[in-house]
Amino acid sequence: MNVAAQLRTRAFPDQGQGRLEVRNVSKSFVVNGAPVEALRDVSLDVAAGEFVVLLGPSGCGKSTLLRLIAGLEPEFRGSISQDGDAIAGTSLDRGIVFQEPRLFPWATVSQNVALGLKNAPLSERAKREAVAAHIALVGLDGFAQAYPHQLSGGMAQRAAIARGLVNRPRLLLLDEPFGALDALTRARLQVELQRIWAHERITMVLVTHDVDEAVLLGDRVIVLAPRPGRVSRIFAISAPRPRSRTDDDLVRIRNDILRALGDGEEDGSGGTPIGGPA
Amino acid sequence: MSGSAALGSLGRGLVLPVGLLLTWEVASHSGLVNRQFLPPLEHVGATAWRELASGELLEALAASLRRDLLGFVFGSGAGVLIGLLLGLSTIADRVVMTWFNGLKQIALLAWIPLISLWFGFDEMAKIVFIGLAAAIPVILNLVEGIHATSRKLVEVGDVFRFNRVQFILFVYLPAAMPSLLTGLHLALIYAWLATIGAEYFMAAGPGIGGLIIAGRERFEMDLVMLGILVVGSVGFLVDRGASWLEQRLIPWRAASAQV
């Protein structure tokens, strides 16, 4: 039995949840004195242990939605709840990995991961074990004492994933975590993430504008349309795991999604081509 | 840097001081200047030896350094506390910072009469004055460092539910550390300048400043020169020592461009 799973059972015996309910969520920002509607009446459910991808062009509010779920934006209309409890601010039950690694430059990899545990109800020994187990989980053994500036972009993002998971959250939110990486590193980390998700059995919500990434990783792909951000279509992907990019089913769904996104453009509701910068 | 390159740069660094000393020596011996105003180097050396042998020079230096260090410790300590308060509290910042920015325009020496009246003419007043000199660069640099903390890193602290103390210890202080060290470095230099200023302008007592005053009053220019050389050397060593420490205390400096 692996150390991480043991730790989880010890720290949160009643875990195994991670259900998410988003109900009629709307959010506006004020930009240059004028209100801009980022999200309008978005509702969605994520089952415990599910891998859901929020996909859409820039400006569709997908990152905003993820920040609302994380509890980083206190002002919005509607309700968001995790396992039946309305979210209020951030919580150690929800981990998040941002597009940039956001590692503290003055702390080593191991210290960065340990900082995530500062408010965890664990003994110092359990914390040390959890840090080591998660560094191993993302394949960074041997780099625990390295500073962020000594890591490559992919390694830094691995460290960020370890930090996002170290609290054993029931829900992990990923905001375009591979967006800034080169194609090869991105492909490798996508496979890694698939492995970690299968291993950890937690709910994951991933934001991306990369259709290939969405179909490779998601149980469901929720396509958002921009201005204002809203749910446009939902694709269920039942292909068996571990998946391969060249799987016929995946290629077919990928084409369906691209077509759906293209339709959105033709009827004028989406102006930005998919794959543009976030 | 290779050994010969290091020697080369040391050699270049020595050109100016050696040149100046030679000019001084020639000017003094050739009668171009009055020896009473610019005594030759060997006279200054002899005075240094005499003062060293009698123990007076070391006594004066010890008195000055003690004052300098006390003022620096109290001043920079208070500076860190005030800087944290101003940097972290928006209200304190808004109420105090404009006022403080005006206050720092007052030349440091202008505080001497006020401090003398409030704290008397003895050791206490000198240390308060040195402390004030040390506190100002610490406050300014620490506030700037805290304000420059990346919003993205603050959000990471939010995600991990950091409390006030954790935010200070794990986010704001380390983020402001390069700035704070610059402030402390300046504080060391200012404190030493203020030490000499205090000894010069406040009631005489033991110290390098007192040595220079004594030299002036007895018209012993070699003693004055000796005092000035000691002041300069200490300042130089303090500055170099601070730079050396600064580089060793921030191993992540190379990462400043990264989030």
Side-chain angles (χ1 to χ4, degrees), chain A residues 3-16 92-93 117 120-123 126-127 129-130 134 165-170:
Chain A
V3 187
Q6 281 176 357
L7 283 172
R8 174 200 292 183
T9 337
R10 210 181 310 152
F12 306 105
D14 60 343
Q15 213 189 4
L92 296 183
D93 268 345
L117 285 174
L122 296 174
S123 70
K127 285 182 182 179
E129 285 173 5
H134 285 86
L165 285 169
V166 74
N167 271 299
R168 323 294 315 154
R170 290 174 287 178

Side-chain angles (χ1 to χ4, degrees), chain A residues 67-74 89-90 96 98 102, chain B residues 155 158-159:
Chain A
R67 290 175 59 81
L68 292 181
I69 297 170
L72 286 168
E73 306 272 349
T90 55
I96 184 164
F98 298 95
R102 299 202 187 183
Chain B
E155 250 177 29
D158 275 334
V159 166

Side-chain angles (χ1 to χ4, degrees), chain A residues 128-178:
Chain A
R128 271 199 305 279
E129 285 173 5
V131 169
H134 285 86
I135 288 175
L137 179 73
V138 297
L140 279 182
D141 316 75
F143 290 93
Q145 302 314 315
Y147 282 95
H149 73 269
Q150 298 169 313
L151 303 177
S152 68
M155 286 159 82
Q157 202 53 289
R158 280 168 195 265
I161 292 172
R163 191 173 64 176
L165 285 169
V166 74
N167 271 299
R168 323 294 315 154
R170 290 174 287 178
L171 176 60
L172 184 68
L173 308 166
L174 301 127
D175 188 3
E176 302 194 44
F178 313 133

Side-chain angles (χ1 to χ4, degrees), chain A residues 3-234:
Chain A
V3 187
Q6 281 176 357
L7 283 172
R8 174 200 292 183
T9 337
R10 210 181 310 152
F12 306 105
D14 60 343
Q15 213 189 4
Q17 317 254 316
R19 208 160 29 84
L20 182 69
E21 283 174 15
V22 177
R23 286 283 170 276
N24 310 106
V25 165
S26 299
K27 166 83 183 168
S28 298
F29 292 104
V30 176
V31 179
N32 297 334
V36 173
E37 205 174 8
L39 291 169
R40 181 189 288 171
D41 203 25
V42 171
S43 294
L44 57 96
D45 282 292
V46 180
E50 195 182 9
F51 199 126
V52 163
V53 177
L54 301 175
L55 176 74
S58 351
C60 73
K62 54 192 191 300
S63 287
T64 304
L65 181 57
L66 204 76
R67 290 175 59 81
L68 292 181
I69 297 170
L72 286 168
E73 306 272 349
E75 307 266 313
F76 64 95
R77 272 181 293 128
S79 73
I80 302 176
S81 53
Q82 182 183 358
D83 297 321
D85 300 322
I87 65 143
T90 55
S91 157
L92 296 183
D93 268 345
R94 287 187 299 281
I96 184 164
V97 178
F98 298 95
Q99 176 162 7
E100 328 80 24
R102 299 202 187 183
L103 299 174
F104 295 106
W106 48 83
T108 62
V109 167
S110 151
Q111 287 165 344
N112 262 289
V113 177
L115 278 167
L117 285 174
K118 277 292 165 200
N119 294 317
L122 296 174
S123 70
E124 287 306 313
R125 186 163 166 260
K127 285 182 182 179
R128 271 199 305 279
E129 285 173 5
V131 169
H134 285 86
I135 288 175
L137 179 73
V138 297
L140 279 182
D141 316 75
F143 290 93
Q145 302 314 315
Y147 282 95
H149 73 269
Q150 298 169 313
L151 303 177
S152 68
M155 286 159 82
Q157 202 53 289
R158 280 168 195 265
I161 292 172
R163 191 173 64 176
L165 285 169
V166 74
N167 271 299
R168 323 294 315 154
R170 290 174 287 178
L171 176 60
L172 184 68
L173 308 166
L174 301 127
D175 188 3
E176 302 194 44
F178 313 133
L181 303 176
D182 65 87
L184 288 173
T185 310
R186 190 187 314 150
R188 199 161 56 231
L189 280 187
Q190 285 163 351
V191 172
E192 286 278 293
L193 187 64
Q194 222 181 158
R195 178 182 64 78
I196 290 168
W197 173 72
H199 182 275
E200 302 285 301
R201 300 158 180 283
I202 59 174
T203 315
M204 289 196 182
V205 178
L206 173 92
V207 158
T208 186
H209 57 241
D210 178 343
V211 183
D212 293 314
E213 181 170 286
V215 294
L216 180 72
L217 295 173
D219 289 322
R220 278 189 300 152
V221 175
I222 297 177
V223 178
L224 300 180
R227 283 176 279 271
R230 62 202 185 278
V231 175
S232 107
R233 282 189 65 179
I234 298 177

Side-chain angles (χ1 to χ4, degrees), chain B residues 132-150:
Chain B
L132 181 71
I136 290 172
V138 172
I139 295 172
L140 289 175
N141 282 281
L142 181 55
V143 167
E144 194 188 295
I146 289 175
H147 284 176
T149 304
S150 152

